[in-house]
Amino acid sequence: MNTESYTDQDWMLYALSLADKAETLGEIPVGAVLVKDNKVVGEGWNLSIVEHNACAHAEIMAISAAGQALQNYRLIDCTLYVTLEPCPMCAGALVHARIKRLVYGAGDYKTGAAGSVFDLVRNEQLNHQIEVTQGIHAELCATKISEFFRRRRKEKKALKKASQKENENE
């Protein structure tokens, strides 16, 4: 990706392309890209299922990659673009990494920790607060997630039905 002067919308589209990588692996399609000075310093997508690791969320993978690239766990002046509002674990990692800005697509009204359910990233009791921009390509991001779960429910229903039919034939 040429990084001359991209907008929040451009970076979110890039994060959506990373979410596609997660989906091809059977993961929940969430993608994240960390940007500093309009250049990618880290990227990630959900790998919890593949890696058997509850912590392998897209944000954590991007933070880890950026830390290695910058040789620093403090990601000062970086912006994280992520397709889904971070959960409490990821929000805490963003605060500890000193991310300057968070931009997310779809809100997570079950576990969101950047304003929907909790607001850890702007909590004044913590030692760092993050600037938040929400709703960038929200509909595209939300549709990607909801279609994934719709397909997954349909597949599980078909498997259950096939299993019942098999049991009837025995």
Side-chain angles (χ1 to χ4, degrees), residues 34 63 66-67 70 72-78 97-100:
L34 258 161
I63 289 169
L70 298 174
N72 194 339
Y73 78 95
R74 289 187 175 192
L75 304 175
I76 311 282
D77 295 326
C78 289
R98 308 298 195 277
I99 300 292
K100 180 178 184 176

Side-chain angles (χ1 to χ4, degrees), residues 11-12 14-15 18 31-35 40-44 62 79-82:
W11 287 117
M12 190 59 69
Y14 185 69
L18 297 173
V33 60
L34 258 161
V35 175
V40 174
V41 292
E43 60 185 40
T79 298
L80 178 76
Y81 295 88
V82 62

Side-chain angles (χ1 to χ4, degrees), residues 21-149:
K21 292 183 179 196
E23 191 166 12
T24 62
L25 298 170
E27 296 277 354
I28 297 170
V30 177
V33 60
L34 258 161
V35 175
K36 183 174 183 167
D37 299 325
N38 217 28
K39 293 186 177 98
V40 174
V41 292
E43 60 185 40
W45 48 92
N46 276 0
L47 290 170
S48 296
I49 297 167
V50 172
E51 293 194 0
H52 309 289
N53 180 352
C55 298
H57 288 193
E59 300 94 324
I60 302 297
M61 306 310 286
I63 289 169
S64 180
Q68 291 301 309
L70 298 174
Q71 289 294 288
N72 194 339
Y73 78 95
R74 289 187 175 192
L75 304 175
I76 311 282
D77 295 326
C78 289
T79 298
L80 178 76
Y81 295 88
V82 62
T83 57
L84 182 66
E85 179 181 0
C87 70
M89 173 186 70
C90 294
L94 295 172
V95 169
H96 285 293
R98 308 298 195 277
I99 300 292
K100 180 178 184 176
R101 186 167 171 247
L102 165 65
V103 180
Y104 69 85
D108 183 345
Y109 303 103
K110 292 183 180 179
T111 64
S116 292
V117 178
F118 308 103
D119 200 355
L120 292 177
V121 298
R122 292 179 283 206
N123 187 317
E124 291 183 11
Q125 292 178 302
L126 299 177
N127 62 339
H128 178 74
Q129 290 79 42
I130 299 171
E131 178 186 336
V132 177
T133 302
Q134 61 192 45
I136 303 297
H137 289 305
E139 192 172 322
L140 284 173
C141 295
T143 298
K144 182 173 286 298
I145 297 265
S146 61
E147 285 179 356
F148 171 82
F149 282 112

Side-chain angles (χ1 to χ4, degrees), residues 155-166 168:
E155 289 165 3
K156 283 185 178 183
K157 189 175 180 180
L159 283 172
K160 185 176 179 182
K161 191 174 184 178
S163 176
Q164 289 172 343
K165 195 170 191 175
E166 189 176 292
E168 289 172 5

